Amino acid sequence: MLTRYDRFEISLQRWLVRSSTPALYGIVWVWMRINRGYSIRNLSQVRNAFRSWAARGEGPILICSNHLTLVDSMLLIWALGTPLSYLLSPDLYPWNLPERRNFQKNLLLRALCYFGKCIPVMRGGPRDKSLKTLERIRYVLNSGDSVMIFPEGTRSRTGSVDTENFSYATGQILQGAPKARVLCVYIRGIRQKAYSDFPARQEEITVDLRPIRPRARGTGLRAAKEISTRVIRHLKAMEAAYDARHANNRQ
Amino acid sequence: MEKTDIMNQVIRLVTPYVKNAVALQQAGPETRILEDLGVNSARLVDIILDFEDTFKIAIDDQSADSVRSLGDAVQVIQSKLAC
């Protein structure tokens, strides 16, 4: 159960993030677009598809994406909206769930994590801390904010969606946020063969969207497993569709 | 069911998820499932579900959270079997 102080912390972070979004977005955009030369394929179509789908229904959005590079969440934030769209609809600017250890190295990374709207998670950490983090994620979702999660739990070591070693966190989150809508996202650079820290320079990145409704019949851990498995299967199917479209590039 | 039988079953069920096979050979009630046996934390859920299926019991979230060692698992299973 979150305390009043926890909720205050979240509200404060939400407000500070909102104030700094245009500046941070701008800096990250310059790094991705100008320094690294990345481009998103059919960018305006992706944004329109996301915006119209988000506007059509009610309920917070859980964005579930495959994971191949350290900057996937930044790329997805770029792909799904502009600074203006996030200012007008701050709930669409998703909370991110990075591994705490990756952002504890120095003050700059911590600040980036905080202003990048992150709730740090600790894989395999103490149970009480994991439960508290889960409560925070459910709280922001139930407050109407979007959340972005990588259901595989880590960057895929095989380069493909890992259908064997994924975590059941997606299901656990959704069990506590029954009104949440799920958007599966498949992201991949055209030259991305395996996992890496960053996509290659000048990479053209494809972003595919697929809204789903992964519900489970049971309850508890079994339901969490079932929901998470369904999400992973959808991501795998999206990967198959991507592969079919880009067969020549991946050989 | 005897404690030893439950322990043997628990070890059998945990085995497919174990990364540290040497630790498994010397496993006892104090052996920690994640730290000592190297089981991936995400797979702990699968192990709990395997316990449920094998022993025909229901393990609530609170009890599942208390399973850290093989001995904890035996204790939880034994208490559920007694219900």
Side-chain angles (χ1 to χ4, degrees):
Chain A
M1 190 73 182
L2 293 184
T3 63
R4 185 183 272 189
Y5 180 73
D6 292 326
R7 292 196 293 272
F8 168 74
E9 267 189 340
I10 291 168
S11 300
L12 179 66
Q13 187 179 0
R14 190 186 276 138
W15 185 81
L16 288 170
V17 165
R18 204 172 290 182
S19 318
S20 61
T21 295
L24 189 62
Y25 188 109
I27 293 166
V28 172
W29 183 86
V30 166
W31 179 77
M32 290 193 295
R33 188 75 190 95
I34 312 295
N35 183 268
R36 301 288 301 182
Y38 300 151
S39 60
I40 310 270
R41 200 172 206 177
N42 302 323
L43 179 60
S44 55
Q45 285 175 21
V46 173
R47 284 179 177 166
N48 287 340
F50 176 63
R51 206 168 33 235
S52 61
W53 174 75
R56 264 204 306 277
E58 283 183 10
I61 298 169
L62 183 67
I63 298 166
C64 299
S65 173
N66 67 314
H67 196 16
L68 289 168
T69 77
L70 292 176
V71 293
D72 286 342
S73 56
M74 293 185 204
L75 289 164
L76 286 172
I77 288 167
W78 174 26
L80 298 179
T82 63
L84 183 64
S85 70
Y86 289 133
L87 275 179
L88 295 174
S89 307
D91 51 315
L92 292 184
Y93 185 75
W95 290 85
N96 301 287
L97 313 175
E99 166 61 44
R100 182 181 290 275
R101 283 175 279 252
N102 294 341
F103 283 88
Q104 295 293 303
K105 291 168 191 164
N106 61 52
L107 198 62
L108 181 70
L109 283 176
R110 279 186 185 188
L112 191 67
C113 178
Y114 186 86
F115 288 102
K117 209 174 182 181
C118 295
I119 299 175
V121 300
M122 198 189 287
R123 278 196 301 274
R127 192 66 200 158
D128 54 338
K129 289 217 166 100
S130 300
L131 287 173
K132 189 91 172 182
T133 305
L134 182 62
E135 282 302 311
R136 277 179 177 258
I137 298 165
R138 286 171 169 173
Y139 174 77
V140 297
L141 254 184
N142 288 323
S143 307
D145 284 352
S146 305
V147 172
M148 186 186 296
I149 187 173
F150 298 111
E152 293 165 275
T154 186
R155 286 173 291 162
S156 169
R157 275 15 187 190
T158 60
S160 302
V161 174
D162 189 345
T163 55
E164 298 296 323
N165 298 305
F166 58 95
S167 85
Y168 300 147
T170 310
Q172 288 175 314
I173 292 169
L174 286 170
Q175 281 180 305
K179 290 183 181 164
R181 296 178 284 162
V182 178
L183 182 68
C184 283
V185 179
Y186 189 76
I187 180 170
R188 185 170 209 123
I190 200 87
R191 289 176 290 158
Q192 188 82 37
K193 301 277 190 274
Y195 83 102
S196 64
D197 287 350
F198 306 108
R201 285 180 185 274
Q202 311 299 325
E203 182 67 293
E204 186 187 36
I205 290 146
T206 298
V207 175
D208 294 331
L209 310 179
R210 182 187 287 186
I212 64 164
R213 288 203 166 271
R215 298 287 176 248
R217 287 179 297 273
T219 55
L221 294 174
R222 205 171 290 274
K225 178 180 178 179
E226 192 177 333
I227 291 169
S228 305
T229 305
R230 283 172 195 262
V231 169
I232 284 288
R233 281 188 188 148
H234 277 285
L235 287 175
K236 193 70 183 171
M238 293 173 80
E239 183 168 69
Y242 174 93
D243 283 346
R245 290 202 313 270
H246 299 86
N248 293 335
N249 297 80
R250 295 198 63 190
Q251 282 169 1
Chain B
M1 190 180 264
E2 289 297 318
K3 223 172 187 172
T4 326
D5 297 330
I6 298 174
M7 185 64 162
N8 290 337
Q9 287 275 46
V10 164
I11 290 174
R12 184 181 66 80
L13 294 170
V14 167
T15 300
Y17 305 99
V18 168
K19 286 184 186 148
N20 186 350
V22 178
L24 186 65
Q25 285 169 359
Q26 299 151 359
E30 303 298 318
T31 305
R32 294 170 302 174
I33 297 172
L34 301 183
E35 296 87 343
D36 299 334
L37 298 180
V39 171
N40 183 324
S41 58
R43 299 286 73 82
L44 195 54
V45 175
D46 291 307
I47 291 172
I48 299 287
L49 296 178
D50 288 346
F51 291 164
E52 288 189 339
D53 293 339
T54 304
F55 295 100
K56 309 276 185 254
I57 53 174
I59 300 176
D60 55 280
D61 287 357
Q62 205 175 351
S63 302
D65 288 343
S66 70
V67 175
R68 287 162 204 275
S69 65
L70 295 177
D72 293 336
V74 172
Q75 205 163 18
V76 165
I77 292 164
Q78 210 170 24
S79 69
K80 299 295 174 192
L81 284 172
C83 290

